Amino acid sequence: MFRDANVVLAPGFIAYVVDELKAKYGADAANRDGFRVTTTLNWTMQQTAQQLIAANVASYQSWGANVHQGAMVGIDPKTGAVLSMVGSASPADAGGQYNFAVWPPRNPGSSMKMFNYTAAIASGKYTMVTPIADTQITFTAQPGQKPYQPRNYDGGYHGTCQLQQCFLNSYNIPAVKVEVSQGIPNVVTMARAMGAPPWRCANPPSCDHFINDEPLDSYGPSLTLGGYGETPLQMATGASVLASGGLLRQIHGIAAIANSDGASIYKSSPDTGVKQVIDPRVAFIMDQIMSDDSNRQA
């Protein structure tokens, strides 16, 4: 979105739209005379998102945390339109020139459990009320490595809980148990199908290159706890699949393009590239679990 003197009010989103233009019409598309681009941005939502990100970063800093940036993406699940995209908390701070909403991938934490539990319900091995024991578990490590022992965020154990309660209380140990019992490749496959293929740093510790097409059996049990990278755009895309009855839509920031005479060149459609990637019944169950606040009561 622009005002006089080309003051960019949503830099992350504008960068995303420019990349979308280049992908459609070539590298010089953004500078082509006569293009009139109507974007999908909802300015009210964008302002709210920017305020929330800035406030949260400031809150972390007040606790002494070394946090300087944040990002957020809002998608309309009915159309795939990007309604808000905050690329950084402040362009003036370190790293503010990057659009963290789309790159690079970062540890998504427990939000990855969304794909784990979706895969579990889809497998037919679990229901929303399947009991899961929140008890200690240890995984044997490769030679020279320490055994892997997941822990809950509070350091404790919570007995046996239904799947829906384990999920919404974000208990780590039950999540890893569900992941391993159904097969980690099943979770990777689900994340990829929902538009969020997990990324791994290819050359640690510099991490200037990431890969997301590794064999399914190369991922470890930390996957469901965010051990592999994702981007806010990918995570929002995955959530939009659950909100749309299992449909993966083409995510876009351009609503329409006209030439200098006002003639239409392009118009987005919610039906373009749409895919049914999960059973709508599974999406409905996940929607019920995630929207029921009583599941967050320990």
Side-chain angles (χ1 to χ4, degrees), residues 1-3 7-17 39-55 70-76 81-91 96 98-102 232-233 252-253:
M1 184 174 183
F2 294 91
R3 284 181 177 173
V7 176
V8 180
L9 300 179
F13 178 76
I14 292 300
Y16 177 74
V17 168
T39 74
T40 58
L41 192 72
N42 181 309
W43 182 234
T44 300
M45 287 184 61
Q46 178 70 16
Q47 289 177 295
T48 300
Q50 186 70 58
Q51 291 164 3
L52 286 171
I53 289 296
M72 181 185 292
V73 177
I75 293 173
D76 182 350
V82 177
L83 302 179
S84 61
M85 177 180 286
V86 178
S88 68
S90 172
Y98 301 110
N99 183 2
F100 291 108
V102 299
L233 181 60
H252 60 281

Side-chain angles (χ1 to χ4, degrees), residues 277-290:
V277 294
I278 60 174
D279 190 314
R281 295 171 294 183
V282 172
F284 176 80
I285 291 171
M286 289 297 294
D287 179 71
Q288 292 300 300
I289 293 174
M290 296 172 72

Side-chain angles (χ1 to χ4, degrees), residues 165-222:
Q165 296 165 335
C166 292
F167 178 22
L168 267 293
N169 280 287
S170 198
Y171 296 149
N172 291 339
I173 296 173
V176 173
K177 287 184 175 181
V178 169
E179 174 190 49
V180 172
S181 68
Q182 67 172 302
I184 298 174
N186 199 43
V187 181
V188 177
T189 299
M190 180 59 72
R192 288 175 174 174
M194 294 172 66
W199 295 86
R200 181 178 68 81
C201 174
N203 55 341
S206 62
C207 289
D208 57 2
H209 179 60
F210 294 84
I211 52 178
N212 69 352
D213 56 354
E214 294 184 286
L216 293 175
D217 61 0
S218 64
Y219 294 83
S222 66

